[in-house]
Amino acid sequence: MQGEPEVAVLRLGHRPGRDERMTTHVGLTARALGADRAILAGDASKSEGTVADITDRFGGPFEVELTDSPKAVIRDWAGRVVHLTMYGERIQDVETTVRECHADGEPILVVVGSQKVSFDVYEAADWNVGVTNQPHSEVAGLAVFLDRLFEGRELDREWTDADQTVVPRATGKKVVPADEE
Amino acid sequence: MQGEPEVAVLRLGHRPGRDERMTTHVGLTARALGADRAILAGDASKSEGTVADITDRFGGPFEVELTDSPKAVIRDWAGRVVHLTMYGERIQDVETTVRECHADGEPILVVVGSQKVSFDVYEAADWNVGVTNQPHSEVAGLAVFLDRLFEGRELDREWTDADQTVVPRATGKKVVPADEE
């Protein structure tokens, strides 16, 4: 988020034709819950387009990009790397340390896999973190991790250059042009 | 969770062949993050089977079932109904009230849609709640909602009748038979 060290989300293992929705949801969740950037590995141009389109309509700042070299992204990251995996240490045991590193100025790269993640990612990460040690969803794990990293501040972030804004309502839907907010 | 009023998750709008993975992730997220039951509307037997299989292997208690009458499930719910939607009130504004109702003994039904949710669901819900008013993922919204409803207690829940257990590790994977934990 603005005024904080960068938080980026790296999505590994995208399989075109199979993973479009999951990868899109990873990207949209990263954007909605306070990350600054999503980096999608492999041929994920369709998901990239959807995330960019949402950013155009609902605001930023948020970047989405593709990479053919996810391992280089991890290796060259100038900060700390968190790999979310059901095999990792419990989030409740490591979140304070990660939060302190981020507060001390360290950019955080959050790595989320798809089906199978190679062992060198486990070794390259500063922390392997489990949002529970149960099998569920990389999207759910990312969401809980970001909400805890930012301690809810992401829910109050402001959006710039939006075309439209949703106005919270008890019932029904209200969407207004962004400049009428 | 055991010893608390029931929390169930109702998944609306499943489209066979398109939504299998999203619906499965909704069910697995419900299980992993403290809900007692997932109710899947429509022909979601494939997702139901996957969630039941994970429960067999990694433990419960957790129930997953199908319904052809999601509106009856909402209408007949003996407790409070929360509908997660990007158009709803901000979670940070309503979560305390929902939590208090649950602590006072009210079962909670959490309704998550797919693409489009009909207006009578908005009207039938006690609260329409937005985990941000941004478009992202029903799985992410559900995850953050449950983590906040339970205030992290779900991360410490115990599992019974598991075949296998993942042991948290800083690096690598360790899975043991459940009775050797």
Side-chain angles (χ1 to χ4, degrees):
Chain A
M1 288 189 289
Q2 298 99 311
E4 302 194 6
E6 183 178 24
V7 175
V9 174
L10 172 63
R11 160 68 162 179
L12 300 178
H14 175 80
R15 297 162 301 179
R18 276 204 60 173
D19 290 336
E20 256 72 30
R21 275 179 81 194
M22 294 311 302
T23 298
T24 299
H25 282 222
V26 166
L28 293 179
T29 296
R31 174 185 170 277
L33 296 180
D36 301 287
R37 184 155 59 116
I39 307 163
L40 312 177
D43 183 12
S45 54
K46 213 169 145 184
S47 296
E48 180 197 27
T50 303
V51 177
D53 178 56
I54 292 289
T55 302
D56 281 346
R57 289 160 56 201
F58 290 91
F62 187 77
E63 301 297 324
V64 54
E65 62 201 56
L66 302 179
T67 181
D68 286 327
S69 312
K71 288 176 187 174
V73 172
I74 295 173
R75 192 180 55 233
D76 298 339
W77 182 255
R80 302 297 184 108
V81 176
V82 175
H83 171 220
L84 298 180
T85 163
M86 65 178 277
Y87 301 101
E89 297 181 273
R90 308 186 320 156
I91 184 171
Q92 61 268 48
D93 295 336
V94 297
E95 63 182 304
T96 304
T97 307
V98 179
R99 214 154 37 216
E100 285 171 356
C101 284
H102 184 241
D104 285 346
E106 298 259 24
I108 306 285
L109 181 68
V110 187
V111 182
V112 293
S114 171
Q115 301 299 301
K116 201 124 191 176
V117 173
S118 70
F119 192 66
D120 45 359
V121 172
Y122 287 80
E123 292 188 307
D126 292 290
W127 299 280
N128 292 284
V129 177
V131 178
T132 79
N133 295 102
Q134 297 293 321
H136 56 106
S137 170
E138 63 269 38
V139 175
L142 175 63
V144 169
F145 179 81
L146 291 174
D147 189 38
R148 286 173 172 245
L149 174 65
F150 296 121
E151 295 185 292
R153 291 193 306 282
E154 82 283 0
L155 300 177
D156 295 313
R157 75 158 283 189
E158 297 190 351
W159 300 92
T160 56
D161 296 325
D163 288 341
Q164 53 188 285
T165 302
V166 172
V167 181
R169 279 174 70 99
T171 310
K173 305 179 183 182
K174 185 173 182 185
V175 183
V176 299
D179 51 7
E180 291 179 17
E181 196 183 347
Chain B
M1 287 190 290
Q2 298 100 311
E4 302 195 5
E6 183 179 24
V7 175
V9 173
L10 172 63
R11 160 68 163 179
L12 300 178
H14 175 81
R15 297 162 299 178
R18 276 204 60 173
D19 290 336
E20 257 71 31
R21 275 178 81 195
M22 293 311 303
T23 298
T24 299
H25 282 223
V26 166
L28 293 179
T29 297
R31 173 185 171 278
L33 296 180
D36 301 288
R37 183 155 59 115
I39 307 162
L40 312 177
D43 182 11
S45 55
K46 212 169 146 186
S47 296
E48 179 197 25
T50 303
V51 176
D53 178 58
I54 291 290
T55 302
D56 282 346
R57 289 158 58 199
F58 290 91
F62 187 76
E63 301 297 325
V64 55
E65 62 200 56
L66 302 179
T67 181
D68 286 328
S69 312
K71 286 175 188 175
V73 172
I74 295 173
R75 191 181 56 233
D76 299 339
W77 183 255
R80 302 297 182 107
V81 177
V82 175
H83 170 221
L84 298 181
T85 163
M86 65 178 277
Y87 301 102
E89 296 181 274
R90 307 187 322 157
I91 184 173
Q92 61 267 49
D93 295 335
V94 298
E95 63 183 305
T96 304
T97 307
V98 178
R99 213 152 41 214
E100 284 171 357
C101 285
H102 184 241
D104 285 348
E106 297 258 25
I108 306 285
L109 180 66
V110 186
V111 182
V112 294
S114 172
Q115 301 298 304
K116 202 123 192 176
V117 173
S118 70
F119 192 67
D120 45 0
V121 173
Y122 287 80
E123 291 187 308
D126 293 290
W127 299 279
N128 292 284
V129 177
V131 178
T132 80
N133 295 101
Q134 298 292 322
H136 55 106
S137 170
E138 62 268 38
V139 175
L142 175 63
V144 170
F145 179 81
L146 291 174
D147 188 40
R148 287 173 171 246
L149 174 66
F150 295 122
E151 295 184 292
R153 290 192 307 282
E154 81 284 0
L155 299 178
D156 296 313
R157 75 160 282 189
E158 297 191 350
W159 300 94
T160 56
D161 296 326
D163 288 340
Q164 54 188 284
T165 303
V166 172
V167 181
R169 279 175 69 100
T171 310
K173 305 179 182 183
K174 185 174 182 184
V175 184
V176 299
D179 50 7
E180 292 180 15
E181 196 183 351

